[in-house]
Amino acid sequence: AMSGRAKISLHKGALIALQEVHDGKYPGMKIAAASSADTPFAVKVGRQTLKMLEVVPGVTVWDLLLRENRGKDVNQIGRSPPLSSDKSKTHFPILREATGVPYDRQLFFDDCNWGDHCGKVERACTENGQGVVTVRTPNGLREEDWREGLRKYALSRTQAVVR
């Protein structure tokens, strides 16, 4: 996809993650987008781009996001009310309500370089004594970040069983 003269594409790790979800490697896993795009135009471009980028031939990121949530758009993109720049106070509570997925069963990757959304979400969004599992991805989602997130999530589930 193009935005003006700039090419828009998925980071390799994001593409691998989405392809694995598409292929059913993680039964029961749901995916959603939480973005604090800072202008209405950025929200529009972001949503449109998700509808253009393909995970596999003929299946876009948007198609997969809808498939994983039974056709419902649960994605939280932007900062306009009811959303804000603080994902822990707006995006995640709305996602929790829309998906029914408890915080302690969520995995969040964030590429923000000017704030710590991961830390805020971990601290504020807790359930059953555990928070959202997070991975900072300051260079975009690389394959090693995806694998680290899966490891951290598996470890959190093991710790939950022990409690």
Side-chain angles (χ1 to χ4, degrees):
M2 299 295 288
S3 177
R5 286 190 252 158
K7 181 180 179 192
I8 300 173
S9 61
L10 292 167
H11 285 276
K12 183 178 179 185
L15 180 60
I16 289 168
L18 293 167
Q19 287 173 337
E20 289 179 357
V21 170
H22 173 270
D23 293 345
K25 188 168 183 179
Y26 310 103
M29 180 186 280
K30 293 181 179 183
I31 61 171
S35 170
S36 53
D38 60 354
T39 66
F41 180 71
V43 171
K44 184 178 178 181
V45 169
R47 286 184 172 273
Q48 195 59 38
T49 300
L50 294 173
K51 294 174 183 175
M52 295 168 63
L53 295 173
E54 289 186 327
V55 175
V56 297
V59 179
T60 66
V61 174
W62 190 256
D63 295 334
L64 190 59
L65 289 167
L66 292 181
R67 182 189 89 179
E68 294 302 310
N69 292 289
R70 299 188 180 127
K72 184 177 177 189
D73 177 9
V74 300
N75 304 292
Q76 302 303 310
I77 301 173
R79 295 182 184 193
S80 299
L83 301 177
S84 73
S85 62
D86 186 346
K87 293 177 186 177
S88 70
K89 294 194 178 349
T90 56
H91 296 65
F92 276 82
I94 293 169
L95 279 170
R96 167 70 181 90
E97 179 68 27
T99 64
V101 177
Y103 293 131
D104 64 328
R105 305 286 297 214
Q106 295 182 20
L107 172 57
F108 172 53
F109 298 90
D110 190 64
D111 66 351
C112 180
N113 285 305
W114 57 87
D116 185 9
H117 291 294
C118 287
K120 284 183 178 181
V121 168
E122 281 178 352
R123 289 186 296 276
C125 302
T126 61
E127 212 161 335
N128 303 316
Q130 289 189 292
V132 175
V133 174
T134 68
V135 178
R136 291 187 78 177
T137 61
N139 299 306
L141 184 62
R142 300 167 303 160
E143 184 175 5
E144 53 265 36
D145 299 324
W146 170 241
R147 304 285 173 226
E148 176 189 351
L150 293 174
R151 281 191 297 277
K152 283 179 71 174
Y153 181 81
L155 180 61
S156 79
R157 298 310 313 141
T158 302
Q159 291 171 345
V161 170
V162 173
R163 290 177 187 209

